[in-house]
Amino acid sequence: MRDDRLHPLADAHSDRTAAKDVPDTPQTRSPAYRLAFADDDFLCREELRPVRLQLELLKPQLVLDEHGIESTIVLFGGARIPDPVNKATARTETLAGLTEFYEEARKFSRLITQASNGRENVIVSGGGPGVMEAANRGAMDAGGKSIGLNIVLPHEQAPNEYVTPELCFNFHYFAIRKMHFLMRARAICVFPGGFGTMDEMFEALTLIQTGRMECVPFLLFGREFWEKIINWDALADAGTISADDLDLFRFVETAEEAIDVIDNWGDCGRRGEIPGR
């Protein structure tokens, strides 16, 4: 971290260190005596939730800025899709068939990273297994860095081994994690997945649909999977979305096709009105 202090006052690091060496007395043992910013019990109080939300927004923002990350390519996808070499371990036949998308995610990330200058179009994933692992792995294959945005779960797991360590973050709040996925996004790529993948996909689509986010290339890998899971045309026919909303995303099958679509997407800007309203 940079130290840009322009004042002569004692800094927080020094005072926290000094506070550890005070004499042991009833007063210094009291929780009330702890420095507020070094008191975990205090920071975890219910009333401090707004502060924790701010900290989770601010820490990754500062770190990414310090590493010069200007834009990202987002990869969402299922944590349960294994590497094709482990296809036999897939829980279902359908899941085994989806292992091809692990390889496409890896190839896509490798090609994107090869074309990146290390600041723009940096790969970002959820930092876990499956498609997320493939995304970070592809960036490493190309000798580049990538970002992992992990979340604390009951079945706590280590981040996948391919995330660049200094760009590996851990979140408590899903909402703040989602913001960091989209704040620098130049394109969003969604691979087959489950509830989490669909949650991330629909939230991002909603932001674009309602004009809360600029239009960016939005790719769904695997038309057969997505059209089997979601009846997109039925939503438009019912009038719950506009037919124009179906143009917010495109289906692709391969890494090469995805890159071609991104390169030729064009500038669609931010919606000024919602079609069909």
Side-chain angles (χ1 to χ4, degrees):
M1 294 291 185
R2 295 173 301 179
D3 187 355
D4 295 331
R5 290 182 299 118
L6 299 176
H7 58 75
L9 299 175
D11 65 272
H13 285 289
S14 298
D15 277 2
R16 185 168 61 178
T17 300
K20 293 179 181 178
D21 297 325
V22 297
D24 183 23
T25 70
Q27 291 76 23
T28 61
R29 288 195 297 270
S30 169
Y33 188 75
R34 299 173 193 158
L35 289 168
F37 59 82
D39 185 343
D40 290 341
D41 292 334
F42 174 68
L43 289 175
C44 289
R45 285 178 57 148
E46 182 77 12
E47 301 90 339
L48 270 289
R49 179 176 289 120
V51 176
R52 295 194 298 274
L53 285 162
Q54 184 178 16
L55 290 173
E56 285 214 338
L57 180 64
L58 188 59
K59 179 181 177 180
Q61 179 78 20
L62 291 175
V63 174
L64 292 172
D65 285 346
E66 288 169 357
H67 282 84
I69 307 298
E70 298 174 6
S71 63
T72 58
I73 303 293
V74 182
L75 271 74
F76 295 133
R80 304 185 188 196
I81 297 177
D83 183 332
V85 300
N86 298 319
K87 186 175 182 176
T89 67
R91 293 174 56 249
T92 67
E93 184 177 342
T94 298
L95 201 59
L98 294 175
T99 57
E100 65 181 279
F101 290 107
Y102 180 106
E103 197 57 44
E104 290 302 326
R106 181 178 176 181
K107 184 192 303 182
F108 174 79
S109 293
R110 174 172 55 81
L111 294 173
I112 288 290
T113 304
Q114 286 173 343
S116 171
N117 58 10
R119 300 185 305 277
E120 298 177 306
N121 295 345
V122 177
I123 294 295
V124 57
S125 84
V131 168
M132 295 173 281
E133 174 187 289
N136 299 114
R137 187 176 182 180
M140 179 176 281
D141 290 341
K145 54 190 175 183
S146 66
I147 303 164
L149 304 180
N150 291 76
I151 187 87
V152 176
L153 298 172
H155 50 284
E156 185 57 39
Q157 60 197 11
N160 74 67
E161 62 184 303
Y162 305 105
V163 180
T164 301
E166 58 268 27
L167 298 178
C168 190
F169 304 97
N170 200 16
F171 290 86
H172 172 67
Y173 297 106
F174 265 104
I176 302 300
R177 177 177 180 253
K178 289 177 180 178
M179 286 189 67
H180 279 293
F181 269 123
L182 301 180
M183 285 169 65
R184 289 173 165 83
R186 284 269 182 87
I188 299 170
C189 301
V190 187
F191 290 77
F195 287 167
T197 300
M198 287 189 280
D199 172 51
E200 292 156 342
M201 175 182 70
F202 279 119
E203 179 148 9
L205 278 175
T206 300
L207 290 170
I208 295 172
Q209 178 203 42
T210 57
R212 297 297 299 169
M213 176 179 173
E214 291 183 4
C215 173
V216 298
F218 204 113
L219 312 182
L220 273 57
F221 277 75
R223 177 189 288 268
E224 181 181 358
F225 173 85
W226 288 112
E227 289 190 337
K228 182 178 181 181
I229 300 300
I230 302 167
N231 192 332
W232 304 93
D233 290 330
L235 290 171
D237 291 342
T240 54
I241 65 171
S242 166
D244 291 342
D245 292 333
L246 298 179
D247 295 329
L248 296 177
F249 59 88
R250 299 180 195 173
F251 295 106
V252 296
E253 303 299 325
T254 67
E256 293 84 357
E257 182 185 0
I259 290 174
D260 181 66
V261 171
I262 291 172
D263 289 342
N264 294 286
W265 187 273
D267 182 13
C268 54
R270 187 192 303 268
R271 277 185 166 180
E273 60 182 32
I274 303 176
R277 284 286 184 91

